[in-house]
Amino acid sequence: MSSLIESTSPGVRRARQLGQRLALRGVGGVLVLLASASVTFFALHLTPGDPVRAILGGPSANPTPETIAAAIKEFGLDKPLIEQYGIWLLRLLHGDFGRSFSQHQPVVEVIRQQLVPTLQLTAAALFAAWLLALISVLGTARRNRWLSGLGSLLETLSAALPQFWLALVLLAVFSFGLQWFPPEGNDGLLSLVLPALALAIPLAGFLAQVMREAFELALDQPFILSARARGLSEWQVRLGHGLRHAVLPGVSLSAWAVGSLVGNSVLVELIFSRQGLGRQLYQAVSLQDMPLTIGITLFITLVYILTSLLVDFLYTLVDPRLSEVHG
């Protein structure tokens, strides 16, 4: 057996270790999805309120007792809670997310309609955050005392900014004051700039802080001195040799960042009156729309899990030594 393992090529062994690692992460992801769905299900049932009224049109509705009784029977709300959970879980395992109480259409269809605006906002915010972080790290790290200190200070300040407060400031200055960008809506690229910056600037601070430390450590390594001794310019050294080591912690942080961006988009989409999953989740919780709330929560959790798996894969591509360590 040991001779077979020893005879396996390093590439095959590395691919096998990576596959095993991704399989374990996949099993863990399924358990996280189940836990997320279960906690949301019981939390919504423990929330004060009347889900029947939400089904029949909300607080302004005035259904008859017969209509209320029919709705309770149709949605199984007369059954014990644990039985409702079992039925709901069985449907979920068959891919049936149910129908939205408030919008009277399948949950999957509602998510599909709201998915694109949220993905656009998340992708734009992540791109802007990486761009700002790289400019700060490459432009100021180990330049001189004042420039490096200024870069660190700006990163710390931006990381501490609350995203909803930043969104209000950007809205007041650049939309209502200077009138450079529209204050609301989803029309065109300009309407995406301020919401994306509100999400990106604090994230850029976090990314730059973790990348700066790794970048400065890389600049002290012998291979950097060797590169400089070969006559490479400072930018060639930074981009060609130091940057690779600096992006590793940033790539790892991006998995958390995607889930965080989708979650934080709730307030930003509300402030800028944008369509999207965040705004839809807020409305679903407000209206006690349990199927839609659970559906969007599961989707956000799934995005976070898939991003973590993708980052794991990218991490080992950027630095193959990690697959040996974790294997």
Side-chain angles (χ1 to χ4, degrees):
M1 183 65 182
S2 59
S3 61
L4 285 176
I5 295 175
E6 288 173 0
S7 63
T8 305
S9 67
V12 173
R13 189 167 61 248
R14 194 161 53 232
R16 185 183 301 164
Q17 291 168 345
L18 178 60
Q20 291 173 347
R21 191 178 175 198
L22 291 179
L24 286 175
R25 294 294 299 270
V27 172
V30 172
L31 294 177
V32 170
L33 279 173
L34 180 62
S36 173
S38 300
V39 169
T40 308
F41 176 89
F42 287 108
L44 288 175
H45 274 81
L46 293 175
T47 304
D50 186 2
V52 179
R53 194 163 290 278
I55 295 171
L56 297 175
S60 60
N62 188 24
T64 64
E66 292 78 13
T67 306
I68 292 175
I72 290 175
K73 186 174 181 59
E74 180 183 353
F75 288 92
L77 298 176
D78 53 341
K79 294 182 172 60
L81 182 58
I82 193 67
E83 188 176 346
Q84 292 183 44
Y85 173 70
I87 295 171
W88 167 80
L89 193 60
L90 190 61
R91 288 178 177 170
L92 193 64
L93 291 175
H94 286 83
D96 181 6
F97 286 76
R99 292 179 65 84
S100 166
F101 291 167
S102 58
Q103 302 196 27
H104 304 287
Q105 57 179 327
V107 168
V108 173
E109 180 62 21
V110 178
I111 292 176
R112 188 192 65 78
Q113 293 171 358
Q114 303 295 329
L115 178 59
V116 173
T118 296
L119 288 183
Q120 287 176 338
L121 178 59
T122 303
L126 191 61
F127 175 78
W130 265 95
L131 184 62
L132 293 172
L134 287 174
I135 290 174
S136 177
V137 172
L138 292 173
T140 65
R142 290 286 178 88
R143 288 295 187 183
N144 60 57
R145 180 182 174 187
W146 293 106
L147 192 57
S148 182
L150 178 62
S152 296
L153 177 63
L154 290 176
E155 291 162 8
T156 303
L157 289 176
S158 61
L161 291 175
Q163 287 165 323
F164 74 93
W165 177 83
L166 184 58
L168 292 174
V169 171
L170 292 174
L171 189 65
V173 174
F174 295 102
S175 289
F176 298 134
L178 299 175
Q179 299 184 349
W180 287 355
F181 301 98
E184 62 180 8
N186 294 59
D187 299 328
L189 190 60
L190 284 180
S191 66
L192 188 62
V193 173
L194 295 185
L197 285 177
L199 290 171
I201 291 175
L203 176 59
F206 283 113
L207 286 173
Q209 284 179 323
V210 297
M211 286 197 294
R212 175 180 292 273
E213 183 179 358
F215 188 68
E216 290 180 343
L217 285 174
L219 291 181
D220 291 332
Q221 299 304 310
F223 64 86
I224 294 292
L225 296 176
S226 174
R228 285 176 172 151
R230 294 200 305 272
L232 297 180
S233 69
E234 182 62 23
W235 276 108
Q236 286 176 316
V237 170
R238 286 172 176 256
L239 292 174
H241 297 273
L243 181 61
R244 178 178 178 179
H245 297 269
V247 299
L248 283 173
V251 169
S252 180
L253 189 62
S254 293
W256 163 83
V258 170
S260 174
L261 287 173
V262 175
N264 289 326
S265 66
V266 176
L267 288 176
V268 172
E269 287 176 355
L270 281 173
I271 291 171
F272 288 95
S273 298
R274 288 181 57 85
Q275 292 182 344
L277 289 176
R279 185 181 180 191
Q280 198 66 59
L281 178 60
Y282 170 80
Q283 293 174 346
V285 173
S286 303
L287 297 171
Q288 293 188 303
D289 190 340
M290 187 188 70
L292 186 55
T293 303
I294 294 177
I296 295 176
T297 303
L298 277 178
F299 179 79
I300 293 174
T301 308
L302 181 63
V303 168
Y304 177 79
I305 291 170
L306 292 178
T307 308
S308 298
L309 288 173
L310 179 62
V311 166
D312 259 17
F313 181 69
L314 292 177
Y315 217 88
T316 53
L317 286 182
V318 174
D319 190 349
R321 295 171 300 172
L322 293 173
S323 62
E324 300 287 344
V325 173
H326 292 287

